[in-house]
Amino acid sequence: MRLKQLSLIMLIAIAFTACKPKDSFTIDGTFQNPGTEKKVFLYGMQNSSMVAIDSTNLSEKGEFKFIRKTPSVDFFRVSVGNHEFMLIAKNGDGIKLEADLADKTMAYKISGANEVDKLSELNSIRNNFAKQVEKLQADFEAKVAEQPQNRAAVLESMKPQYESYINQLNTQILKFAKDNKGTLASFYAMSTLSPQDFEAELVKFADEVKEEIKGNPTVDAFVKQMALLKTVQVGQVAPAFTINTADNKPVSLSDYKGKYVLIDFWASWCQPCRQENPNVVKVYNKFKSKNFDIIGISLDTDKAAWLGAVKADGLTWMHVSELKDFNGETVKKYQVQAIPTSYLVDPAGKIVAKNLRGDELDAFLGKTLR
């Protein structure tokens, strides 16, 4: 009798497994404390961008469901109000998503598939960081409330702790990506890192996974971009260019052969660039007599704004611009994704350093230009 009961249970389990759709995936979700939010959207990847592909309404219990098909394992995002929840799914997956919309850290639980489970592990790492930062923010606000006149000093005193949290998070993300190489979750982890701070790691990662995760459009686009970025790594020959000055005189990188030259990508509208300019002026004045020069390449589209900033900031070196924002040919050639971005090129035309700021640039030149 017990054997018959066991066999019946096994048959039921097999039947449920067999009935699970293999040509689509499902997302069953529950949101606590949705407030006035009623509409839930599902986003999918198209041409490396997230676009809305479906929508539904929350039930009175805060529940919703999506059933979709996908050509291959890919990224999806569930959005409700200002909350966004990243997922990875493939046909045959039954994914469960749970979140409390009152949670400021936007933490969420996902389960039901291998990639989703990996993503859940990554989320735990990031959620822990978010909680640490939230506590640090609360401590900051409390101290400022007690000493409003010392806001700047309090901020400066807490900055090392914040930077420590950032470093810990980045270290854990790199380890996660290494331990889970070959999964979309590892790719997503790497995509959360700063391209400027982790350029070498991202280029290396692309080389390692270009065959393992081949075929996913988003990953393929990343691999292609990293291949281009590889050409402007430290140690590579700086790509040649010729750009006009404001009065249409051509300036070429080859004009500076035999010198150390800083190629500085910036713009008048870029506040971090303008804040860094006094440091660049200081370095230029200190080393311009020691075989050092600068070419400023502006991403401005407004010629007057560009020239106004050059004058206002006292930038006395050579300035050129394609006046095309991030769409200029030289900007693309150097894979500039954000500004300020800079390349230090040696007399032989090789890139010897990237994105050195303030004291770092001063120290590097002081050691090099003796």
Side-chain angles (χ1 to χ4, degrees):
M1 186 67 176
R2 290 179 180 175
L3 285 174
K4 286 182 180 179
Q5 288 177 335
L6 181 60
S7 297
L8 181 59
I9 292 170
M10 290 178 66
L11 285 171
I12 292 171
I14 292 170
F16 272 107
T17 303
C19 291
K20 187 179 179 181
K22 299 296 183 184
D23 63 344
S24 61
F25 66 89
T26 62
I27 301 174
D28 286 292
T30 304
F31 288 142
Q32 297 178 35
N33 300 308
T36 58
E37 300 296 344
K38 300 296 180 184
K39 202 80 171 178
V40 185
F41 295 88
L42 179 65
Y43 286 74
M45 296 299 299
Q46 289 184 16
N47 299 320
S48 298
S49 298
M50 281 281 183
V51 298
I53 58 174
D54 205 350
S55 65
T56 189
N57 292 317
L58 283 174
S59 72
E60 291 183 359
K61 296 181 179 179
E63 298 173 334
F64 67 93
K65 184 169 188 171
F66 288 113
I67 301 176
R68 298 289 303 186
K69 295 182 179 181
T70 179
S72 60
V73 58
D74 211 342
F75 293 102
F76 295 88
R77 188 179 74 213
V78 172
S79 296
V80 55
N82 295 322
H83 297 259
E84 298 180 344
F85 308 98
M86 186 65 73
L87 304 171
I88 299 173
K90 67 179 184 305
N91 291 338
D93 287 349
I95 299 169
K96 291 192 178 299
L97 165 64
E98 298 175 80
D100 184 349
L101 299 189
D103 187 347
K104 293 180 181 179
T105 66
M106 294 192 185
Y108 61 108
K109 296 179 181 178
I110 44 175
S111 61
N114 179 56
E115 286 276 12
V116 162
D117 291 341
K118 294 295 183 184
L119 193 57
S120 181
E121 183 183 337
L122 174 63
N123 284 341
S124 294
I125 295 171
R126 298 177 68 192
N127 290 342
N128 182 53
F129 166 75
K131 289 176 181 176
Q132 289 176 317
V133 171
E134 188 178 28
K135 183 179 182 303
L136 191 65
Q137 177 68 26
D139 291 345
F140 169 73
E141 291 174 355
K143 289 181 179 179
V144 169
E146 293 175 2
Q147 311 169 47
Q149 72 280 7
N150 295 329
R151 180 185 179 86
V154 172
L155 182 63
E156 192 64 26
S157 69
M158 301 185 82
K159 187 177 178 182
Q161 185 62 63
Y162 176 73
E163 291 176 345
S164 174
Y165 288 156
I166 287 284
N167 291 334
Q168 291 174 42
L169 173 65
N170 290 335
T171 298
Q172 291 180 64
I173 286 175
L174 287 168
K175 183 180 185 304
F176 173 88
K178 181 180 179 181
D179 292 345
N180 295 281
K181 201 172 293 178
T183 66
L184 281 187
S186 71
F187 166 72
Y188 177 65
M190 292 298 289
S191 73
T192 65
L193 296 173
S194 164
Q196 287 188 314
D197 296 335
F198 292 91
E199 185 178 286
E201 290 85 351
L202 288 166
V203 169
K204 181 182 177 184
F205 179 79
D207 275 341
E208 293 172 345
V209 305
K210 61 185 177 185
E211 294 300 327
E212 294 182 50
I213 322 179
K214 190 176 182 180
N216 180 279
T218 306
V219 177
D220 289 347
F222 164 76
V223 169
K224 184 178 180 181
Q225 181 186 349
M226 290 302 107
L228 293 171
L229 193 57
K230 195 174 182 179
T231 65
V232 286
Q233 291 284 287
V234 170
Q236 299 294 319
V237 174
F241 62 81
T242 299
I243 310 176
N244 287 346
T245 62
D247 53 0
N248 292 320
K249 293 180 180 178
V251 175
S252 300
L253 178 60
S254 58
D255 298 339
Y256 292 79
K257 191 171 183 180
K259 283 188 172 185
Y260 279 90
V261 58
L262 183 73
I263 305 171
D264 184 27
F265 292 91
W266 73 293
S268 66
W269 45 260
C270 168
Q271 286 305 311
C273 302
R274 304 294 296 273
Q275 290 167 4
E276 180 63 18
N277 277 344
N279 295 324
V280 184
V281 169
K282 179 182 175 183
V283 166
Y284 178 68
N285 290 332
K286 183 176 181 179
F287 295 102
K288 64 181 179 180
S289 62
K290 297 183 179 181
N291 204 38
F292 172 72
D293 214 330
I294 299 176
I295 304 174
I297 302 180
S298 170
L299 275 66
D300 279 287
T301 56
D302 184 330
K303 185 176 179 179
W306 163 39
L307 297 179
V310 169
K311 183 178 180 180
D313 293 359
L315 313 181
T316 57
W317 50 87
M318 181 62 69
H319 290 276
V320 296
S321 180
E322 295 164 307
L323 296 173
K324 293 183 178 179
D325 198 66
F326 284 91
N327 299 311
E329 288 304 313
T330 304
V331 173
K332 291 179 180 178
K333 191 180 290 186
Y334 276 80
Q335 290 297 294
V336 178
Q337 303 296 318
I339 51 175
T341 288
S342 64
Y343 291 82
L344 183 62
V345 179
D346 73 6
K350 285 189 177 181
I351 298 169
V352 293
K354 296 178 68 171
N355 296 320
L356 295 177
R357 304 273 184 266
D359 292 340
E360 289 181 330
L361 179 59
D362 191 313
F364 188 94
L365 291 174
K367 180 177 64 176
T368 306
L369 304 178
R370 293 177 177 176

